[in-house]
Amino acid sequence: MTGLTVFSIVLVLVPLADIIYLFVIKGLEVISWPALTTITVGTGVEFVGGGISNAISGTVVLMALATAITVPLGLLGGIYMAEFSNNNKFSEALRFVSDVLAGNSSMVVGLAGYFIFVLYFGWGYSALAGALTLSILMFPYVFRTTELALRKVPDDIREGARALGSTKSTTINRLTLRFAMPGILTGILLSVSIGLSETAPLLFTASFSNYNFNGSFLHTPVGFLTYIVYVYSQLPSNSAHNLAYLSSFVLITSILLINIVARVVVRRFSKV
Amino acid sequence: MMKPEPEPVHRVASGQGTREREILDHERSKGLTGDEGGLIRLQSLCAYYGEQKVLDEISLSIARNRVTVFMGPSGCGKTTLLRTINRMNDGVRKFRVTGQVLINGTDVYSSEVDPILLRTRVGMVFQKPNPFPISIYDNVAFGPRIHKLTKTKSELDQVVRESLEKAALWEEVGTRLNKSALELSGGQQQRLCIARALAVKPEVILMDEPASALDPGSAFKVEELMVELKENYTVVLVTHNMQQAARVGNEVAFLYRGELVEFGPAEEVFQNPKNALTEKYIRGTL
Amino acid sequence: MKAGGSWRRTADRVYALVSALLGSSALLFLFMVLAVLAVFGVPSIIVNGLNFFTTVIWNPGISTTLTTIRGFPAMSGASYGMLVFFSGTLISSGLALLIGAPLSLGVAIFLTSVAPKRLSTSLSFFVELLAGIPSVVFGFWGFLVLAPLLFNYVEPAMAQYLGFIPGVGGPVYGYGLLASGLVLSLMIVPIVSAISRDAMAQTPVELKEAGMALGMTNWEITRKVVLPYAKTAIIGSLVLGLGRALGETMAVVLVSQSALNVLPKTLYYPINTLSAFMAVTFDSALTDPSGMEVNAIAELALVLFIITTTANIVARLLVRRGFISSAEHLVQV
């Protein structure tokens, strides 16, 4: 029986190791300063080459915008859940709705994002449409991890502050939030890595662009890394494949980095 | 805001900020600074959790600068009684109070009393030491900071130092104020919590079995501290430890099943209990 | 002081209100998503009716004439049936569960009962790392490595030696159902094994000791004490994993060969799923002169939403704290 369990862990680890090995090897082969700093040339139909700076800058802009939208919503929402809601019916409903959102296909959300932001609001394919769609997907993670992190702060700290005449607001802002911060930060990092991994919801909201982000958030398509992996992996030319390898490499290393940062944050701050 | 008056007040004068003046002004404006037979008077106090009555018609008077002890077996309502004095049970689901808790003649449950300000006058120390997981200094400075009791850093330093001194902790921690409070021993943590309560300059300190989670040595130190504190403060102590009640208490109230069975000077209650229940409790046969 | 007191109470109330309001964005998001899909889906629901659920053929009929059906513009030759995508979604996710469940359980048992503590900690980290890899990268790997491997070695061997089993014989394609199921199974292993591992680790020590006192071996304790104890949580985690597989898009797009108008007859057949089809087709659907293909895709999205949400609700009922513990896992990733 022990053999079978060893067999399953090997079966899981081998593909994982192969994925990491493949994209690290290929990524290191094709990585170069020009490839990271020049824009993509050509489209799917013709020869594709150049670099991925348009996708990197677009991804950075999309993620920054989506995080800036998600964090206040999720953070304050989580504060409500843990500190104010007293587990009332409304908060149970919110928790349920948030779980439904998190458990859904990102494609469904992406399609809705197209209808709402691109079409109905008339923003066209744009950074804002893409970022808002992403934040719908990222919200549940910040929301729930904030609640969980706050709930882990012992109640006698709240009692102690209350006995000193601290209002709920003051206790939250000066004490509870501070101690829940490692957990909250991990939640935010987690949501960023979720957003970074998404492809489908951006296809019809951000579209794609061969040009670097030009500062306009509306009516201008933006590039992103997962698009390059998705589309250029299926093109026949080597130069297109190389861009897909490079983008995979950049994605994997950034997500790995985020994971490591999250772990360090938890380790460092969990022992006050 | 009312303008401060240069009248003598019963508070320690150092580090007086505007908030404190407000409180004092308020007291004076209501003309309620007199003792009127006790700093704290409970009148026909009843408390309920839902339908269940947990305190039944409690009336007693707590004198200034004394240690008053609430004792009784667990579940007798002594902690609930203590927590009605600074309204810590506000917001507990289905909890309600009837009757009066008068401090300086003002009913703390009347609509014009702000529980937040009440708690700056009535400090509390809990059974389990609950220092905030921040530095020792920040723990003590927490109250003065949120209530803006001090104007300058040196004023705040002064308050922190005085509070730690009064809590008999300065000698031990004065050189490492920036260390985390969690590095202190249990007994030190409890004295830190006392210092933290003193820093907002309360008149009354409520203590809910403050020594029961400590080792005997630390417990003894906290007991000593209670006796010292009554010089400047009014101490109300909840305990189930009779020896402790006898050692530190000036007045002792014995509660049983939500009722006040007996209340009087400690020597009388312990040596000459009037009620058979009290006698049984003291003899350990209840 | 009166004013001061009420100001503070107001501050707390404002804080509660504002935070409740921002937390309610969950409701707003879900409402927006559902409302807009319903609005765009309604023409398709009315025009296609029940045929939508029983038809194999999906053909927007671009070159046919524009007419009006039940009050909505539509192409005269169009046919919208979701059967290929619906069945592809269920079959590929079912296959993923079939492969992923024993794998995850094996991993969970290995991590809780077999591996020494240090090895277990670092292996958990690697397995959870798997969850962080973007699905499109998974798909790219499947496209580059797994599908060719299946096509050249695995599938021919399976067809030859196991071909007597219905559905396992026949021509091989590499890119198709088996590849999709395998990639999806890898993607659900981290979440399923993490929740199962935690549930198993929570087995009370007394229960295990009782097993030891009865002279049970380590393996017997796992099978007769730990697994039954964690059963509900494990099933819940499986349903949660199923929910992920049902909604997965990019990995499937890259390894399924995007089948159209044909139902899978063997394990190797090209397939398509609801989400993968939406991703691939939406751009061209926008060029449909009647607009009906966009409406039909919105209806597909509604169907997918109902399937994944049902799976989620079932998982929630099975693991009372399932989502909390899964979120905790994700925090620890």
Side-chain angles (χ1 to χ4, degrees):
Chain A
M1 259 0 266
T2 306
L4 271 183
T5 64
V6 174
F7 182 62
S8 13
I9 189 105
V10 169
L11 272 188
V12 171
L13 288 180
V14 163
L16 171 68
D18 190 49
I19 291 172
I20 292 176
Y21 174 77
L22 174 72
F23 292 111
V24 168
I25 292 293
K26 293 280 188 184
L28 289 178
E29 259 172 42
V30 296
I31 197 167
S32 68
W33 188 244
L36 292 172
T37 53
T38 57
I39 58 172
T40 311
V41 182
T43 61
V45 200
E46 331 140 17
F47 168 83
V48 171
I52 59 168
S53 78
N54 48 322
I56 293 177
S57 67
T59 296
V60 168
V61 169
L62 284 168
M63 289 317 302
L65 207 53
T67 309
I69 297 163
T70 311
V71 168
L73 299 181
L75 186 70
L76 276 155
I79 291 174
Y80 170 75
M81 299 292 282
E83 303 285 342
F84 291 108
S85 77
N86 286 323
N87 283 323
N88 58 18
K89 289 264 182 281
F90 179 63
S91 71
E92 274 171 37
L94 282 185
R95 197 171 295 138
F96 174 71
V97 165
S98 152
D99 286 349
V100 165
L101 276 175
N104 236 283
S105 173
S106 59
M107 185 64 242
V108 170
V109 176
L111 195 65
Y114 170 83
F115 290 137
I116 300 165
F117 306 121
V118 177
L119 221 55
Y120 184 73
F121 289 176
W123 294 343
Y125 297 121
S126 56
L128 195 59
L132 270 166
T133 310
L134 278 184
S135 54
I136 296 179
L137 293 160
M138 290 160 64
F139 170 84
Y141 294 89
V142 180
F143 182 63
R144 293 306 303 281
T145 47
T146 301
E147 181 189 354
L148 281 169
L150 286 170
R151 282 190 191 279
K152 280 187 179 162
V153 178
D155 261 341
D156 58 359
I157 285 178
R158 295 185 181 89
E159 279 262 289
R162 205 156 85 94
L164 289 171
S166 177
T167 60
K168 227 169 177 169
S169 321
T170 310
T171 308
I172 294 168
N173 293 343
R174 288 194 179 229
L175 282 175
T176 1
L177 264 187
R178 220 173 125 175
F179 305 121
M181 207 34 92
I184 294 172
L185 272 180
T186 340
I188 293 171
L189 288 174
L190 171 72
S191 82
V192 169
S193 77
I194 295 275
L196 208 54
S197 312
E198 286 295 356
T199 317
L202 292 175
L203 286 176
F204 313 126
T205 51
S207 194
F208 187 73
S209 165
N210 274 4
Y211 300 101
N212 280 329
F213 177 70
N214 68 354
S216 88
F217 291 105
L218 297 176
H219 307 291
T220 317
V222 283
F224 53 98
L225 288 163
T226 46
Y227 180 94
I228 292 188
V229 182
Y230 165 45
V231 176
Y232 295 177
S233 64
Q234 302 181 78
L235 294 181
S237 75
N238 268 339
S239 55
H241 271 192
N242 286 345
L243 293 188
Y245 287 134
L246 184 58
S247 300
S248 301
F249 178 74
V250 173
L251 279 168
I252 289 181
T253 41
S254 347
I255 287 168
L256 191 67
L257 222 63
I258 290 173
N259 266 298
I260 290 170
V261 169
R263 272 162 194 272
V264 169
V265 163
V266 168
R267 287 263 161 84
R268 171 75 55 89
F269 293 96
S270 52
K271 33 182 158 162
V272 175
Chain B
M1 200 178 295
M2 288 179 220
K3 76 169 191 284
E5 290 167 49
E7 245 175 80
V9 289
H10 55 259
R11 294 275 197 112
V12 188
S14 75
Q16 240 182 42
T18 49
R19 176 74 68 220
E20 191 174 0
R21 291 215 177 102
E22 255 182 75
I23 301 165
L24 299 175
D25 286 343
H26 176 66
E27 281 166 25
R28 272 192 301 276
S29 72
K30 303 194 65 162
L32 294 170
T33 34
D35 269 13
E36 296 171 24
L39 176 64
I40 305 172
R41 279 188 302 136
L42 312 180
Q43 287 182 346
S44 312
L45 186 75
C46 300
Y48 306 80
Y49 288 107
E51 291 303 301
Q52 200 198 346
K53 199 174 200 177
V54 291
L55 289 178
D56 191 7
E57 296 278 331
I58 309 275
S59 296
L60 58 80
S61 180
I62 294 168
R64 195 185 291 285
N65 294 352
R66 309 280 278 178
V67 177
T68 303
V69 179
F70 297 165
M71 68 170 190
S74 49
C76 70
K78 55 192 190 296
T79 294
T80 306
L81 183 60
L82 189 76
R83 289 167 67 96
T84 55
I85 297 175
N86 65 343
R87 294 181 57 172
M88 278 298 276
N89 275 357
D90 282 20
V92 171
R93 209 170 278 191
K94 291 187 178 163
F95 181 81
R96 71 197 162 84
V97 168
T98 63
Q100 287 182 313
V101 178
L102 302 166
I103 299 184
N104 279 329
T106 311
D107 183 5
V108 301
Y109 280 96
S110 67
S111 60
E112 62 260 48
V113 169
D114 179 355
I116 299 296
L117 292 190
L118 169 68
R119 289 178 201 136
T120 64
R121 299 172 52 192
V122 184
M124 190 166 204
V125 177
F126 297 83
Q127 180 168 12
K128 195 171 146 257
N130 59 349
F132 305 140
I134 44 182
S135 74
I136 295 168
Y137 183 96
D138 288 341
N139 260 278
V140 183
F142 185 83
R145 277 183 178 143
I146 63 171
H147 297 295
K148 301 191 175 63
L149 296 184
T150 55
K151 285 195 194 72
T152 61
K153 174 83 171 87
S154 61
E155 237 181 297
L156 185 60
D157 288 347
Q158 185 63 23
V159 171
V160 169
R161 181 178 179 147
E162 277 171 12
S163 308
L164 285 168
E165 278 169 352
K166 282 187 201 149
L169 197 59
W170 177 256
E171 304 255 304
E172 289 158 63
V173 304
T175 53
R176 46 179 178 137
L177 292 176
N178 291 323
K179 287 276 158 56
S180 166
L182 299 185
E183 287 173 17
L184 299 177
S185 73
Q188 289 173 324
Q189 288 188 357
Q190 193 60 300
R191 277 178 283 145
L192 178 66
C193 292
I194 293 171
R196 189 174 72 187
L198 298 180
V200 287
K201 305 193 185 304
E203 294 165 74
V204 182
I205 298 169
L206 309 177
M207 295 188 162
D208 187 359
E209 310 213 21
S212 67
L214 306 179
D215 63 273
S218 307
F220 180 69
K221 274 192 180 164
V222 170
E223 268 182 32
E224 270 188 334
L225 189 53
M226 289 180 213
V227 178
E228 279 168 34
L229 285 176
K230 73 176 176 185
E231 301 286 316
N232 294 310
Y233 306 90
T234 304
V235 177
V236 186
L237 170 72
V238 158
T239 184
H240 61 255
N241 179 336
M242 244 174 304
Q243 285 73 31
Q244 187 180 64
R247 278 194 298 267
V248 302
N250 298 116
E251 271 80 36
V252 172
F254 172 61
L255 285 97
Y256 187 65
R257 292 194 176 152
E259 286 183 42
L260 179 62
V261 176
E262 188 155 349
F263 179 58
E267 309 82 53
E268 269 181 47
V269 173
F270 281 111
Q271 281 154 24
N272 243 332
K274 292 186 187 69
N275 191 295
L277 273 173
T278 319
E279 201 178 342
K280 274 174 116 181
Y281 180 70
I282 290 167
R283 275 208 244 108
T285 54
L286 188 69
Chain C
M1 167 166 141
K2 236 168 147 177
S6 71
W7 182 86
R8 271 187 291 274
R9 262 190 293 281
T10 314
D12 274 359
R13 282 204 194 114
V14 168
Y15 204 148
L17 193 72
V18 168
S19 64
L21 220 59
L22 294 185
S24 306
S25 43
L27 277 174
L28 178 74
F29 289 156
L30 188 66
F31 173 77
M32 286 198 319
V33 168
L34 282 183
V36 82
L37 291 180
V39 166
F40 278 84
V42 157
S44 165
I45 294 170
I46 292 173
V47 170
N48 299 313
L50 280 179
N51 285 338
F52 191 78
F53 304 98
T54 56
T55 308
V56 170
I57 304 299
W58 183 286
N59 174 8
I62 299 283
S63 52
T64 57
T65 51
L66 187 63
T67 61
T68 302
I69 303 175
R70 291 184 201 140
F72 292 101
M75 307 308 290
S76 60
S79 162
Y80 294 107
M82 67 162 201
L83 222 46
V84 171
F85 322 122
F86 184 74
S87 62
T89 302
L90 295 190
I91 295 170
S92 61
S93 298
L95 186 62
L97 206 58
L98 212 62
I99 303 164
L103 218 53
S104 312
L105 222 56
V107 169
I109 295 172
F110 181 80
L111 293 177
T112 45
S113 317
V114 180
K117 182 99 179 49
R118 285 190 65 173
L119 182 66
S120 163
T121 314
S122 43
L123 282 184
S124 302
F125 171 74
F126 277 111
V127 173
E128 277 160 15
L129 202 64
L130 208 59
I133 294 175
S135 63
V136 70
V137 173
F138 258 111
F140 192 15
W141 175 79
F143 178 83
L144 284 171
V145 179
L146 182 68
L149 188 77
L150 291 177
F151 181 70
N152 292 322
Y153 304 101
V154 182
E155 289 182 354
M158 283 173 74
Q160 192 177 345
Y161 298 111
L162 301 171
F164 58 91
I165 304 171
V168 184
V172 300
Y173 300 91
Y175 299 85
L177 176 55
L178 186 59
S180 310
L182 281 172
V183 171
L184 288 177
S185 72
L186 271 184
M187 297 181 71
I188 64 174
V189 163
I191 181 102
V192 177
S193 59
I195 296 176
S196 308
R197 181 196 62 199
D198 263 25
M200 287 162 59
Q202 276 165 13
T203 314
V205 183
E206 305 87 70
L207 285 184
K208 288 196 221 170
E209 281 171 351
M212 282 182 225
L214 289 172
M216 288 182 174
T217 62
N218 206 4
W219 168 242
E220 279 173 325
I221 291 172
T222 303
R223 199 163 53 96
K224 295 196 176 137
V225 180
V226 177
L227 285 182
Y229 182 83
K231 193 175 77 184
T232 355
I234 292 173
I235 296 173
S237 72
L238 285 172
V239 184
L240 205 62
L242 178 68
R244 291 217 162 169
L246 289 167
E248 176 46 43
T249 313
M250 298 325 292
V252 179
V253 169
L254 285 160
V255 298
S256 67
Q257 238 180 108
S258 303
L260 201 59
N261 301 339
V262 58
L263 290 171
K265 292 192 179 60
T266 70
L267 197 52
Y268 320 115
Y269 249 62
I271 60 152
N272 215 334
T273 65
L274 291 162
S275 56
F277 177 71
M278 289 193 274
V280 171
T281 315
F282 192 67
D283 268 334
S284 71
L286 291 174
T287 62
D288 175 12
S290 67
M292 186 53 73
E293 191 170 13
V294 171
N295 300 125
I297 285 178
E299 194 179 348
L300 287 182
L302 283 174
V303 171
L304 180 55
F305 177 85
I306 291 166
I307 299 174
T308 50
T309 303
T310 310
N312 279 328
I313 291 173
V314 171
R316 252 176 94 91
L317 293 177
L318 286 172
V319 202
R320 228 171 304 141
R321 273 181 356 106
F323 279 73
I324 292 191
S325 67
S326 68
E328 266 172 27
H329 275 303
L330 296 167
V331 177
Q332 284 152 16
V333 162

